């Protein structure tokens, strides 16, 4: 490790924007802004390599690092003419985490570090504000005690609440009937006078002594060491680990640690702090957007403790308001209150977006009228915003079309498909808040993250309701359908994290108050006058509209998402560069129509077994299973034939001109028999067979391991009449559709084959039926015959199978199960531990196991195409909609992927990105 610390300040920086891996996103941004001459408080970044070395050494800083930290502090002192640990010219610092990938709120930050009683007094003398100095001191004690010393934060919040009640009495405010949220609105921090703050600080120290047995540390050097270690420790806290899993951020990256001279937004009414985005992170609209708070520190904005003000006047096209841009919002905007600082900030944000060529997320502080930038990073955004920003930046010439394709996370496309509130449906408006993250969500109210996770695990839809969320709520936010908070703005923790997850979120809903497991809602009329209240309890249903900020009582109907013009434009660019075709798994005409509307280029898997569970059909299916001989089975199958033919007619019509791959019956027959006594009795009466005999037959068909039992093509070997009926239904439907002038491309696929002889037998069966049907209908249609590759043996003998099969479709669900020897249905009990231990990087049933299963895919490809050049290869497992797996399928040279209808846009974009990545790996080309 050659160098541990990179300094920045006074227009010079050791690092730059290209060093995110080493400096983290925050450190690289601070270095780059300093180089650009943007006002940034000086500081230094301790690298991610130090973090990894810290863990490797059993949580000990590497030798020499502490000396480098002392030297960097000395540079800060010289630059600022201040002294760390001095009461005469105090230097205070912030200590912040900063991984290479943005993880908002997941790791720790400590502000105002370097204070003790003497330094607080010195800071008061130097600034001329005792109240400011004491406010900074009490904030420092709270965060340091919570993060470094491990003293629960709620003890300090309780002490702060008591201080507010004392202040309320002094101010003549009746607090006897106010809950904590209402009290905070009536008596904000700014109304705590120096006497109240001094008493609060003394109480905080008593809490620390009682909880730890030691006094609060007053040596600034020891404080700094503890904070740096705490930041590195926070890389592995629970919420950070959950977030990394959700966003596929490698554990090995580690976090950097940024130590920076403090600037203060809580020095008075000429100071403030805020968060800004160069474009709207929710919609993607090109406007300067953000929020600020006067006389506050940055944690007040992002933690959502106070509801902030917009940056811009409503008429100037910036900022977010809770009420649609009224006069009060305009008057409280930064543009109105501090026009010079606003104009400087507006110029800086425009410059930074042009420089980085992407939407930027900024944190800033104004100290007595002087602007400072504290952070610049690529901004988190919703899927809708990502698409709009990428397309509009390409139109503006800021990036190329190819760059625009690569800018959008394919997984975020799912967010564009979210439903919205049906405006024509009856609904009861409960409250209004800020539209923090779009989409409609209905669920049962829960008031804790743990309860959200528990109920969601039971299959229930839940809405997490909190006064404000904190990073500790990450697991509950993940489990919930939506999030509602009483406090916080459009840039609060709840808003940022919900947008990243694609969850509906309404924030800053001041009409609600959460306490003691229920939500009190004040009802307002159209003029803003309170007209009554209602209590919502845990388990009650509410509906959120994250696009408008409205909250409704009960369940409200929704309508499907409408895709934007920018989405269609981006998809057009993606389709022009991708090589992989994208089909859909669809079993019904409705599914086929949905898939085609989303751009599917055929059906890669039509599962015929799903067609048999309809009430009209299941009796005939069970009659076939229970028949004593072939004649009885054929009579029952004759009843099913018209149903099957009708299904295929509908699918072929919807997919006119596109290939449709139909898998013949795959599951073991016992899955179609009733599973409980009531169903057995009902079936007994319907088929005239005793319940006792039905139980005997069901037990006879039951298997110890049905996944590897009498299923797939094995059914055709023992009961060929089943596949004969299905082949007839397919081919009769194809002929009928073709007779109507509709182009049809049927592909018949045999499941679970492992030998050439199995395919030879089933191919002869299908071809025999085809000749009969073509003779009866007086016309022929082209039909392809192929097989699924679901067993390791099938991959190994793929050359032999290709002698019979015209195409392979990799059933990666079963191929993963049979390769790993892991049942997908049971793996949930232990696969999480395997991922946690690093045995698998990801769940292999969600993202393909490339070294194992992927190697079999490549083996089958090579041997199959050696035997049959031009052999068509596709994949129809769940991995067909997984972006990282699609990257492998592109490299492997498959012809198509197939996924669920709603994943088709995801796969189209992922396939385009995979093609561009592969092209880049092959060498440079001219940009468009």
């Amino acid at each position: 490790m050659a160098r541990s610390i990179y300094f920045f300040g006074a227009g010079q920086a050791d690092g730059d924007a290209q060093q995110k891996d080493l400096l983290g996103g925050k450190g690289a941004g601070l270095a780059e802004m300093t180089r650009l001459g943007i006002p940034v408080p000086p500081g230094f970044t301790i690298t991610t390599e130090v973090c990894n070395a810290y863990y490797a050494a059993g949580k000990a800083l590497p030798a020499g690092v502490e000396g480098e930290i002392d030297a960097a502090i000395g540079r800060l002192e010289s630059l600022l003419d201040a002294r760390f640990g001095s009461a005469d010219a105090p230097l205070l610092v912030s200590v912040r985490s900063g991984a290479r990938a943005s993880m908002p709120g997941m790791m720790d930050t400590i502000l105002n570090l370097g204070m003790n009683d003497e330094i607080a007094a010195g800071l008061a003398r130097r600034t001329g504000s005792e109240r400011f100095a004491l406010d900074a001191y009490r904030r420092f004690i709270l965060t340091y005690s919570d993060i470094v010393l491990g003293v629960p934060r709620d003890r300090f919040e309780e002490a702060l609440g008591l201080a507010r009640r004392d202040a309320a009495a002094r101010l003549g405010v009746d607090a006897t009937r106010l809950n904590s949220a209402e009290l905070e609105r009536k008596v904000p921090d700014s109304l705590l006078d120096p006497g109240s703050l001094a008493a609060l600080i003394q109480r905080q120290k008593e809490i620390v002594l009682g909880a730890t047995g030691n006094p609060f540390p007053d040596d600034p050097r020891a404080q700094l060491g503890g904070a740096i270690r705490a930041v590195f420790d926070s890389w592995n806290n629970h919420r950070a680990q959950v977030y990394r899993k959700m966003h596929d951020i490698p554990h090995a990256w580690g976090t950097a640690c940024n130590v920076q001279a403090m600037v203060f937004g809580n020095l008075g009414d000429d100071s403030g702090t805020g968060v800004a985005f160069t474009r709207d992170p929710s919609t993607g609209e090109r406007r300067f957007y953000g929020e600020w708070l006067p006389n506050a520190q940055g944690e007040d904005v992002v933690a959502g403790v106070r509801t902030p003000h917009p940056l811009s006047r409503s008429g100037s096209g910036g900022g977010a308001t809770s009420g649609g841009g009224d006069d009060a919002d305009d008057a409280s905007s930064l543009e109105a209150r501090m026009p010079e600082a606003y104009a400087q900030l507006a110029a800086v944000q425009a410059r930074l977006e042009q420089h980085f060529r992407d939407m930027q997320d900024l944190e800033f502080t104004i100290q007595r009228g002087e602007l400072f930038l504290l952070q610049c990073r690529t901004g988190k955004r919703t899927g809708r915003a990502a698409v709009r920003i990428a397309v509009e930046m390409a139109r503006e010439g800021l990036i190329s079309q190819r760059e625009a394709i690569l800018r959008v996370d394919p997984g975020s496309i799912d967010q564009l498909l979210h439903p919205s509130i049906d405006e024509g449906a009856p609904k009861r408006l409960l409250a209004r808040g800020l539209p923090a993250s779009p989409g409609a969500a209905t669920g049962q109210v829960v008031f804790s993250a743990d309860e959200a996770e528990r109920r969601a695990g039971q299959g229930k839809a839940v809405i997490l309701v909190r006064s404000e969320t904190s990073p500790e709520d990450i697991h509950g936010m993940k489990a919930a359908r939506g999030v509602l908070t009483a406090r916080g703005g459009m840039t609060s923790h709840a808003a940022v994290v919900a947008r990243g997850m694609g969850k509906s979120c309404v924030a800053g809903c001041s009409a609600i108050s959460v306490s003691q497991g229920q939500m009190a809602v004040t009802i307002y009329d159209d003029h803003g006058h309170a007209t009554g209240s209602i209590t919502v309890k845990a388990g009650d249903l509410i509906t959120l509209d994250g696009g408008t900020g409205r909250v409704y009582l009960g369940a409200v109907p929704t309508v499907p998402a409408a895709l934007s013009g920018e989405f269609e434009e981006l998809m057009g660019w993606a389709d022009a560069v991708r090589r992989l075709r994208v089909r859909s798994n669809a079993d019904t005409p409705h599914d086929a129509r949905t898939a085609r509307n989303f751009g599917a280029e055929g059906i890669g898997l039509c599962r015929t077994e799903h067609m048999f569970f309809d009430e009209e059909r299941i009796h005939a299916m069970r009659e076939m299973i229970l028949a004593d001989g072939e004649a009885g089975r054929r009579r029952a199958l004759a009843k099913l034939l018209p149903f099957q033919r009708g299904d295929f007619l509908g699918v072929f019509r919807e997919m006119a001109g596109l290939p449709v791959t139909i898998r013949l019956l795959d599951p073991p027959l016992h899955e179609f028999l009733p599973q409980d006594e009531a169903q057995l009795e009902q079936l007994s009466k319907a088929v005239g067979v005793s319940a006792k005999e039905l139980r005997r037959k069901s037990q006879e068909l039951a298997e110890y391991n049905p996944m590897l039992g009498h299923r797939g093509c094995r059914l055709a070997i023992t009961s060929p009449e089943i596949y004969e009926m299905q082949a007839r239904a397919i081919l009769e439907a194809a002929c009928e559709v073709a007779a109507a002038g509709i182009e049809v491309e049927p592909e018949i696929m045999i499941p679970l084959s492992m030998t050439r002889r199995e395919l030879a037998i089933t191919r002869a069966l299908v071809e025999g039926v085809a000749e009969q049907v073509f003779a009866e209908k007086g016309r022929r249609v082209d039909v392809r015959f192929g097989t699924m590759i679901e067993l390791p043996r099938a991959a190994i003998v793929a050359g032999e199978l290709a002698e019979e099969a015209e195409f392979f479709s990799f059933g990666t669900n079963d191929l993963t199960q049979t390769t790993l020897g892991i049942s997908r249905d049971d793996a949930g009990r232990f696969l999480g531990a395997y991922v946690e231990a690093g045995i698998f990087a990801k769940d292999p049933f969600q993202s393909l196991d490339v070294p194992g299963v992927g190697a079999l895919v490549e083996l089958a490809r090579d041997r199959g195409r050696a035997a049959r050049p031009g052999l068509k290869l596709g994949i129809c497992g769940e991995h067909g909609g997984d972006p990282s797996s699609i990257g492998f399928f592109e490299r492997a040279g498959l012809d198509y992927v197939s996924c669920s209808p709603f994943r088709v846009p995801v796969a189209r974009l992922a396939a385009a990105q995979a093609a561009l990545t592969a092209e880049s790996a092959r060498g440079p080309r001219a940009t468009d």
Side-chain angles (χ1 to χ4, degrees), residues 546-616:
T548 65
R550 292 183 175 91
V551 182
Y552 300 98
L553 188 62
V556 178
T558 59
V559 294
L563 298 176
S564 67
E566 288 87 4
F567 171 83
E568 297 296 344
E569 191 167 359
L570 182 71
M571 287 295 103
W573 298 344
D575 292 341
V577 301
R578 66 181 166 88
R579 183 195 61 83
L580 272 172
R581 300 298 91 192
V582 177
R583 299 191 192 181
S584 179
N585 302 340
D587 309 326
T588 67
H590 176 268
D591 289 346
R593 188 182 315 119
T594 300
R596 189 154 193 172
N597 288 340
F598 283 135
E601 296 160 306
I603 290 177
L605 177 63
C606 179
R607 293 158 288 211
T608 54
E609 63 268 14
H610 288 183
M611 301 171 177
F612 293 130
F613 284 99
D614 183 83
E615 190 66 29
E616 289 184 284

Side-chain angles (χ1 to χ4, degrees), residues 155-193:
R155 299 188 188 181
F156 298 96
E157 296 290 355
E158 182 180 345
L160 179 58
L162 292 173
R164 283 203 180 96
R165 291 193 180 276
D166 291 343
R170 173 174 53 81
L171 296 168
V173 175
D174 181 6
T176 55
R177 296 185 178 181
L178 299 179
N179 61 36
S180 59
E182 293 166 333
L183 177 63
E184 187 176 344
R185 286 195 285 269
K186 294 283 188 180
V187 186
D189 296 354
S190 58
L191 293 183
L192 298 178
D193 63 11

Side-chain angles (χ1 to χ4, degrees), residues 172-394:
V173 175
D174 181 6
T176 55
R177 296 185 178 181
L178 299 179
N179 61 36
S180 59
E182 293 166 333
L183 177 63
E184 187 176 344
R185 286 195 285 269
K186 294 283 188 180
V187 186
D189 296 354
S190 58
L191 293 183
L192 298 178
D193 63 11
S196 298
L197 291 169
L200 176 59
I201 288 167
Q202 184 58 38
R203 177 62 188 135
Q204 288 178 321
K205 290 181 177 181
E206 292 169 359
I207 292 171
V208 171
L209 181 61
T212 67
N214 295 304
F216 185 83
D218 60 2
D219 177 2
R221 299 277 174 175
Q223 293 171 359
L224 180 59
I228 291 169
R229 288 173 174 83
V231 163
F232 287 150
D233 287 344
S234 72
W235 173 250
N236 265 342
N237 67 36
H238 175 68
R239 63 181 184 267
Q241 291 185 46
V242 170
Y243 191 89
R244 287 203 297 274
K245 288 178 185 176
M246 289 168 52
H247 295 277
D248 294 328
I249 298 172
H251 169 78
W253 281 3
T255 182
C257 179
N258 300 283
V259 179
Q260 192 174 14
M262 282 294 301
V263 288
F264 301 98
N266 56 334
L267 268 170
D269 290 340
D270 59 352
S271 302
T273 187
V275 175
F277 296 86
T278 59
R279 304 197 186 207
D280 189 322
S282 186
T283 68
E285 181 182 354
R286 188 183 183 185
R287 62 170 181 141
F288 183 31
Y289 171 99
E291 296 168 325
W292 80 296
L293 282 170
N295 197 17
Q297 289 199 321
E299 61 184 356
D300 297 332
V301 178
V302 297
V305 175
R306 291 165 57 186
T307 300
H309 308 304
L311 289 179
S312 310
R313 292 189 177 98
S314 57
S316 64
T321 72
S322 57
D326 57 24
D327 293 341
D329 287 317
D330 284 352
S332 63
S333 68
L334 180 65
E335 186 178 11
R337 293 275 295 271
M338 300 185 192
E340 292 183 5
Y342 174 84
Q344 186 183 3
L345 180 62
V348 166
Q349 64 90 23
R351 183 182 177 194
L352 288 172
E353 180 174 282
Q354 285 291 318
H355 179 77
F356 288 105
R357 300 167 62 247
D358 202 352
M359 187 265 278
Q360 296 299 299
D361 169 1
L362 313 176
E363 290 183 17
F364 66 91
T365 286
I366 300 166
Q367 177 177 283
R368 290 182 168 165
E370 186 177 358
L371 175 70
F372 294 91
L373 271 291
L374 306 181
Q375 175 173 281
C376 173
R377 64 185 176 190
T378 300
K380 292 281 187 183
R381 62 204 78 180
T382 64
R384 187 178 304 279
V387 169
R388 181 172 178 178
I389 290 169
V391 170
E392 290 189 349
M393 283 188 170

Side-chain angles (χ1 to χ4, degrees), residues 647-821:
D647 292 328
F648 298 133
L649 280 170
V651 171
F652 287 146
R653 286 168 179 153
E654 292 293 343
M655 303 305 289
L658 296 176
V660 177
T661 303
I662 300 167
R663 181 180 72 187
L664 300 188
L665 190 65
D666 185 31
L669 297 179
H670 74 86
E671 290 190 6
F672 296 96
L673 293 179
Q675 304 300 312
D676 58 48
E677 287 297 317
Q679 291 179 329
L680 273 172
E681 292 292 341
Q682 184 180 2
L683 178 61
S684 173
K685 294 174 183 177
V687 299
V689 177
S690 71
K692 181 180 179 180
E693 176 62 17
L694 288 178
R695 278 190 289 272
R696 185 196 66 77
K697 186 70 173 179
S698 182
Q699 290 169 1
E700 180 183 300
L701 291 171
E703 297 177 310
Y704 288 108
N705 191 346
M707 184 189 80
L708 300 178
H710 190 196
R711 54 168 285 212
C713 65
R714 299 161 194 175
L715 295 170
I717 302 301
T718 59
S719 302
E721 59 275 5
I722 298 175
Y723 277 19
E724 287 176 8
M725 181 277 290
Q726 291 193 294
R728 174 170 285 276
I730 293 167
L731 295 165
E732 286 181 353
C735 287
E736 184 174 335
V737 171
I742 300 172
E743 186 179 350
V744 62
E745 294 185 37
E747 298 180 341
I748 294 178
M749 183 163 68
I750 306 300
L752 211 70
S753 66
M754 60 180 176
T755 68
R756 178 179 180 180
R757 182 60 181 156
E758 287 170 323
L759 290 184
I761 292 171
T762 49
R763 180 168 187 167
L765 181 154
V766 169
E767 289 178 346
V769 172
E771 291 305 319
Q772 293 174 19
V773 171
F774 296 160
E776 293 165 7
K777 299 295 182 182
R779 68 170 52 249
R780 305 181 70 87
V781 295
D782 289 332
V783 57
R784 285 176 174 261
F785 178 87
T787 187
M788 296 184 76
I789 303 295
E790 302 171 272
L791 300 170
R793 189 184 195 280
I796 293 168
V797 301
E800 297 177 21
L801 302 187
E803 296 291 340
E804 303 291 342
E806 299 170 276
F807 66 88
F808 289 167
S809 179
F810 293 96
T812 52
N813 297 342
D814 277 353
L815 188 57
T816 297
Q817 293 191 95
T818 55
T819 301
L820 302 183

